[in-house]
Amino acid sequence: MQKYKFIISILLILILTSLFYMPCFASDTDSIYVWSTTSDSIETSTSPNSNSQNISNANLVSSPTNSQQTENNSLNLESASAILIEQTTGQILYAHNIHEQLRPASVTKVMSILLIMEALDNGKISLTDSVPCSENASSMGGSQIWLDPRETLTVDEMLKAICVASANDCVVAMAEYLAGSEEAFVQMMNDKAKELGMNDTTFKNCHGLDEDGHVTSSYDISLMSKELLNNHPTITKYTTIWMDSLRDGKSGLSNTNKLIKTYKGATGLKTGSTGLALYNLSASATRDSLSLIAVIMKAPSTKVRFAEAQKLLDYGFNTFSFKEFGKKGELVKNISVNKGTISNVDAIYEQNAGTLMEKGNDKNIEQTLNLKENISAPITGGQKLGDVTFTLNRRTFVNN
């Protein structure tokens, strides 16, 4: 059987005193590595003395592509479109009509929430800011908490109402607060969609009520869901609330996503339904270091959307596992230093290292450490000292 390898670079941090600590990470982005029997989206190089492929960590994180393995709707889903991805990388594990343009309904709010979280994390707004309600926001209809134009809520309360109760009035109030008008905010949404590669998407509003031309796809929903969860993980503080209240307990909130209560490891994310869109859902969950996002669009009933989202998540958790090899900054080995002012230094992982694979294959992985016992000064923080090679003796699954 063909042998596959990939190499995890090891960087050096000089540990002398607290004054001589120098960060040396190449990227702030955690990396997950996926073995595949195809190499359409990863560059490989073959050693002339071996049949093995050596894959560098810089090339091994691939952008999501259609899963040829599951495009035939092998799970017999009733929904018009569905996708299952691994959250960190966007690796597609199941795909069914993933680029069909459909009405997203309130799943639209994933993008609205993403822009709110970006503004929070960038310091443009804070959770304690008071947000007013305009006549326009209070007149939205649909899912709402009946905002009064005379009242204000904090950003924290607005987020809670949007994530838990899918409040249209609150998301419009937040759009106006952030961008000056809903129209300007929708332009921000479309700009962000373009940045994320959401080529099937055109937003016409920030709430998801039916409007001609307001469309997206399950693939694009998975992209913005991934962006939200990966880069703004504190959003799960809101998306995992089952029941809560606002206005000093006078207004009760109950999560529209029933998987939060019934599905082990559920982390969110957003429901949506209208008479034309039917029933949509972006559902996320994490178990044993494996995070998945399942998107359902145009399910015939609310019962079907939850059942099929659960079916996708179950398929992912039952079939795949995440094998972690090392964490960013984790010590690999202490190395002696010749002719230096210090006697030894620590070699650490440059970034997280791990792989998504079919369950059971982790027993076939071997580790080889290519690192000298000692090195000579001078040494600088961030200097590459060697590599660790993890070898899988057989192919696992096709996803690239």
Side-chain angles (χ1 to χ4, degrees):
M1 293 186 181
Q2 190 173 13
K3 180 182 290 186
Y4 280 80
K5 297 182 179 180
F6 65 87
I7 300 172
I8 310 300
S9 295
I10 299 173
L11 290 186
L12 170 69
I13 286 184
L14 298 179
I15 302 179
L16 234 164
T17 68
S18 59
L19 297 177
F20 199 61
Y21 173 77
M22 224 181 344
C24 56
F25 306 121
S27 171
D28 291 333
T29 303
D30 294 343
S31 297
I32 290 183
Y33 307 96
V34 182
W35 269 294
S36 171
T37 55
T38 64
S39 57
D40 293 342
S41 55
I42 46 180
E43 299 175 11
T44 62
S45 60
T46 304
S47 168
N49 300 318
S50 171
N51 290 325
S52 300
Q53 288 182 341
N54 297 310
I55 306 175
S56 72
N57 64 356
N59 294 327
L60 203 47
V61 177
S62 59
S63 59
T65 55
N66 285 5
S67 173
Q68 297 174 358
Q69 184 182 19
T70 50
E71 269 292 345
N72 60 359
N73 194 20
S74 58
L75 293 179
N76 298 315
L77 303 180
E78 295 181 54
S79 302
S81 176
I83 191 170
L84 176 70
I85 67 168
E86 192 281 320
Q87 178 182 303
T88 307
T89 62
Q91 182 76 20
I92 296 177
L93 308 180
Y94 191 94
H96 170 54
N97 294 336
I98 62 174
H99 290 290
E100 184 176 354
Q101 291 182 304
L102 298 167
R103 297 172 185 262
S106 281
V107 181
T108 298
K109 294 186 179 78
V110 172
M111 179 59 81
S112 300
I113 295 166
L114 172 58
L115 294 181
I116 295 169
M117 293 303 295
E118 284 187 345
L120 280 167
D121 291 347
N122 291 337
K124 183 178 179 180
I125 61 175
S126 71
L127 288 173
T128 56
D129 287 354
S130 293
V131 181
C133 172
S134 67
E135 292 284 353
N136 177 49
S138 66
S139 67
M140 278 299 103
S143 301
Q144 57 184 312
I145 63 165
W146 309 102
L147 279 178
D148 189 297
R150 296 167 295 181
E151 75 174 318
T152 62
L153 293 181
T154 65
V155 171
D156 177 70
E157 292 171 320
M158 289 285 189
L159 268 175
K160 188 185 295 185
I162 295 166
C163 294
V164 178
S166 195
N168 294 329
D169 44 5
C170 290
V171 77
V172 172
M174 281 302 307
E176 293 171 340
Y177 182 70
L178 279 172
S181 68
E182 183 184 358
E183 292 75 20
F185 187 80
V186 171
Q187 184 59 55
M188 290 170 59
M189 294 170 68
N190 284 310
D191 290 344
K192 188 66 179 181
K194 183 176 180 181
E195 177 188 326
L196 296 178
M198 296 170 58
N199 299 323
D200 306 322
T201 298
T202 300
F203 292 116
K204 297 288 187 176
N205 58 60
C206 64
H207 41 73
L209 291 173
D210 285 325
E211 187 170 342
D212 288 344
H214 184 83
V215 294
T216 188
S217 65
S218 61
Y219 175 82
D220 283 4
I221 290 173
S222 76
L223 290 183
M224 63 180 180
S225 299
K226 175 173 73 76
E227 178 76 8
L228 175 60
L229 290 165
N230 286 347
N231 293 332
H232 310 281
T234 55
I235 193 59
T236 58
K237 168 189 171 183
Y238 301 95
T239 58
T240 55
I241 294 171
W242 175 240
M243 296 187 74
D244 209 323
S245 64
L246 295 172
R247 299 170 173 135
D248 297 322
K250 296 176 183 177
S251 299
L253 301 176
S254 181
N255 204 314
T256 56
N257 179 8
K258 78 172 192 175
L259 294 185
I260 295 301
K261 184 178 182 180
T262 62
Y263 196 79
K264 178 184 175 183
T267 57
L269 189 61
K270 191 68 197 74
T271 60
S273 63
T274 67
L276 296 177
L278 299 185
Y279 299 90
N280 303 329
L281 174 65
S282 178
S284 57
T286 298
R287 294 180 184 176
D288 300 324
S289 300
L290 177 60
S291 296
L292 302 175
I293 298 171
V295 179
I296 294 293
M297 294 195 76
K298 206 171 184 179
S301 68
T302 186
K303 181 179 179 180
V304 169
R305 74 169 161 184
F306 289 122
E308 295 197 341
Q310 181 170 331
K311 183 183 287 189
L312 284 174
L313 292 170
D314 285 347
Y315 165 75
F317 288 124
N318 291 337
T319 307
F320 304 100
S321 64
F322 179 78
K323 175 66 176 178
E324 185 178 80
F325 301 130
K327 292 179 183 265
K328 177 179 176 179
E330 185 177 88
L331 176 66
V332 177
K333 190 175 182 179
N334 187 269
I335 304 175
S336 299
V337 178
N338 299 325
K339 302 178 182 179
T341 57
I342 56 175
S343 59
N344 55 71
V345 292
D346 289 336
I348 65 170
Y349 282 107
E350 175 188 6
Q351 52 192 340
N352 288 357
T355 184
L356 181 71
M357 61 175 60
E358 287 185 4
K359 285 191 171 181
N361 281 328
D362 57 329
K363 298 177 182 178
N364 302 322
I365 296 174
E366 298 177 358
Q367 173 182 318
T368 303
L369 180 61
N370 303 309
L371 193 62
K372 294 180 180 180
E373 292 295 328
N374 56 74
I375 53 178
S376 298
I379 307 163
T380 59
Q383 178 178 327
K384 181 179 177 180
L385 299 180
D387 52 63
V388 181
T389 302
F390 298 95
T391 304
L392 183 65
N393 289 319
R394 57 176 177 162
R395 301 182 180 189
T396 53
F397 58 88
V398 178
N399 270 323
N400 289 330

